[in-house]
Short mmCIF file of all heavy atoms in Angstrom, two decimals:
data_model
loop_
_atom_site.label_atom_id
_atom_site.label_comp_id
_atom_site.label_asym_id
_atom_site.label_seq_id
_atom_site.Cartn_x
_atom_site.Cartn_y
_atom_site.Cartn_z
N ILE A 276 14.31 -69.64 -58.56
CA ILE A 276 13.93 -71.04 -58.40
C ILE A 276 15.17 -71.94 -58.41
O ILE A 276 15.32 -72.85 -57.60
CB ILE A 276 12.93 -71.46 -59.51
CG1 ILE A 276 11.57 -70.78 -59.26
CG2 ILE A 276 12.77 -72.99 -59.60
CD1 ILE A 276 10.58 -70.90 -60.42
N ALA A 277 16.10 -71.60 -59.30
CA ALA A 277 17.32 -72.42 -59.39
C ALA A 277 18.16 -72.29 -58.13
O ALA A 277 18.96 -73.18 -57.84
CB ALA A 277 18.12 -71.97 -60.61
N SER A 278 17.97 -71.21 -57.38
CA SER A 278 18.83 -71.00 -56.20
C SER A 278 18.14 -71.44 -54.90
O SER A 278 18.68 -71.21 -53.80
CB SER A 278 19.17 -69.50 -56.09
OG SER A 278 18.04 -68.79 -55.61
N LEU A 279 17.00 -72.09 -55.00
CA LEU A 279 16.29 -72.48 -53.77
C LEU A 279 17.12 -73.47 -52.97
O LEU A 279 17.66 -74.43 -53.55
CB LEU A 279 14.95 -73.15 -54.11
CG LEU A 279 13.81 -72.27 -54.63
CD1 LEU A 279 12.66 -73.12 -55.10
CD2 LEU A 279 13.38 -71.27 -53.55
N PRO A 280 17.21 -73.26 -51.67
CA PRO A 280 17.92 -74.27 -50.87
C PRO A 280 17.15 -75.58 -50.85
O PRO A 280 15.92 -75.58 -50.95
CB PRO A 280 17.95 -73.64 -49.45
CG PRO A 280 16.93 -72.56 -49.46
CD PRO A 280 16.70 -72.13 -50.87
N ASP A 281 17.85 -76.70 -50.75
CA ASP A 281 17.18 -77.99 -50.62
C ASP A 281 16.25 -77.99 -49.42
O ASP A 281 16.52 -77.34 -48.43
CB ASP A 281 18.22 -79.10 -50.47
CG ASP A 281 18.74 -79.57 -51.81
OD1 ASP A 281 18.10 -79.25 -52.85
OD2 ASP A 281 19.81 -80.21 -51.82
N GLY A 282 15.19 -78.73 -49.53
CA GLY A 282 14.31 -78.94 -48.39
C GLY A 282 13.25 -77.89 -48.19
O GLY A 282 12.48 -77.94 -47.22
N VAL A 283 13.19 -76.91 -49.09
CA VAL A 283 12.11 -75.91 -48.99
C VAL A 283 11.20 -76.03 -50.22
O VAL A 283 11.68 -76.36 -51.32
CB VAL A 283 12.69 -74.47 -48.86
CG1 VAL A 283 13.32 -73.97 -50.16
CG2 VAL A 283 11.61 -73.47 -48.42
N MET A 284 9.92 -75.84 -50.02
CA MET A 284 8.95 -75.83 -51.11
C MET A 284 8.59 -74.39 -51.43
O MET A 284 8.21 -73.64 -50.54
CB MET A 284 7.70 -76.63 -50.72
CG MET A 284 6.66 -76.68 -51.78
SD MET A 284 7.23 -77.58 -53.26
CE MET A 284 6.91 -79.28 -52.80
N LEU A 285 8.72 -74.02 -52.70
CA LEU A 285 8.27 -72.69 -53.12
C LEU A 285 6.82 -72.76 -53.49
O LEU A 285 6.40 -73.53 -54.38
CB LEU A 285 9.09 -72.21 -54.34
CG LEU A 285 8.58 -70.92 -54.97
CD1 LEU A 285 8.68 -69.72 -54.04
CD2 LEU A 285 9.34 -70.63 -56.27
N LEU A 286 6.01 -71.93 -52.83
CA LEU A 286 4.59 -71.80 -53.18
C LEU A 286 4.49 -70.53 -54.03
O LEU A 286 4.57 -69.41 -53.50
CB LEU A 286 3.74 -71.65 -51.92
CG LEU A 286 3.44 -72.89 -51.07
CD1 LEU A 286 4.72 -73.57 -50.55
CD2 LEU A 286 2.55 -72.54 -49.89
N LEU A 287 4.37 -70.71 -55.32
CA LEU A 287 4.35 -69.57 -56.24
C LEU A 287 2.90 -69.25 -56.60
O LEU A 287 2.28 -69.95 -57.39
CB LEU A 287 5.19 -69.87 -57.47
CG LEU A 287 5.36 -68.75 -58.49
CD1 LEU A 287 5.88 -67.46 -57.84
CD2 LEU A 287 6.30 -69.17 -59.61
N ASP A 288 2.38 -68.20 -55.98
CA ASP A 288 0.97 -67.81 -56.14
C ASP A 288 0.87 -66.88 -57.34
O ASP A 288 1.36 -65.74 -57.30
CB ASP A 288 0.54 -67.12 -54.84
CG ASP A 288 -0.93 -66.64 -54.89
OD1 ASP A 288 -1.48 -66.51 -55.99
OD2 ASP A 288 -1.47 -66.36 -53.79
N GLU A 289 0.25 -67.37 -58.42
CA GLU A 289 0.14 -66.59 -59.64
C GLU A 289 -1.31 -66.19 -59.92
O GLU A 289 -1.78 -66.19 -61.06
CB GLU A 289 0.73 -67.42 -60.80
CG GLU A 289 2.21 -67.74 -60.55
CD GLU A 289 2.86 -68.56 -61.65
OE1 GLU A 289 2.36 -69.67 -61.94
OE2 GLU A 289 3.84 -68.08 -62.24
N ALA A 290 -1.98 -65.79 -58.84
CA ALA A 290 -3.39 -65.37 -58.97
C ALA A 290 -3.57 -64.29 -60.02
O ALA A 290 -4.58 -64.25 -60.73
CB ALA A 290 -3.90 -64.88 -57.61
N TYR A 291 -2.55 -63.42 -60.15
CA TYR A 291 -2.72 -62.26 -61.06
C TYR A 291 -1.89 -62.41 -62.33
O TYR A 291 -1.66 -61.41 -63.02
CB TYR A 291 -2.31 -60.98 -60.31
CG TYR A 291 -3.18 -60.71 -59.10
CD1 TYR A 291 -2.73 -60.97 -57.82
CD2 TYR A 291 -4.48 -60.25 -59.27
CE1 TYR A 291 -3.55 -60.75 -56.72
CE2 TYR A 291 -5.31 -60.04 -58.17
CZ TYR A 291 -4.82 -60.29 -56.90
OH TYR A 291 -5.64 -60.09 -55.82
N CYS A 292 -1.49 -63.62 -62.66
CA CYS A 292 -0.59 -63.78 -63.82
C CYS A 292 -1.26 -63.38 -65.12
O CYS A 292 -0.60 -62.94 -66.06
CB CYS A 292 -0.07 -65.21 -63.90
SG CYS A 292 -1.34 -66.43 -64.24
N ASP A 293 -2.60 -63.48 -65.22
CA ASP A 293 -3.26 -63.20 -66.49
C ASP A 293 -3.20 -61.73 -66.88
O ASP A 293 -3.31 -61.38 -68.06
CB ASP A 293 -4.72 -63.64 -66.42
CG ASP A 293 -4.84 -65.14 -66.14
OD1 ASP A 293 -4.27 -65.92 -66.89
OD2 ASP A 293 -5.47 -65.49 -65.11
N THR A 294 -3.00 -60.87 -65.89
CA THR A 294 -2.98 -59.43 -66.19
C THR A 294 -1.54 -58.87 -66.19
O THR A 294 -1.36 -57.66 -66.31
CB THR A 294 -3.80 -58.66 -65.12
OG1 THR A 294 -3.38 -59.08 -63.82
CG2 THR A 294 -5.28 -58.93 -65.29
N ALA A 295 -0.57 -59.77 -66.05
CA ALA A 295 0.83 -59.31 -66.01
C ALA A 295 1.37 -59.12 -67.42
O ALA A 295 0.87 -59.73 -68.35
CB ALA A 295 1.66 -60.35 -65.24
N PRO A 296 2.40 -58.27 -67.55
CA PRO A 296 2.97 -58.06 -68.89
C PRO A 296 3.65 -59.34 -69.42
O PRO A 296 4.04 -60.19 -68.62
CB PRO A 296 4.00 -56.96 -68.68
CG PRO A 296 4.10 -56.72 -67.23
CD PRO A 296 3.04 -57.47 -66.52
#
Side-chain angles (χ1 to χ4, degrees):
I276 289 170
S278 75
L279 287 172
D281 275 343
V283 71
M284 181 63 84
L285 171 64
L286 284 59
L287 184 53
D288 179 341
E289 299 180 302
Y291 299 103
C292 66
D293 300 304
T294 50

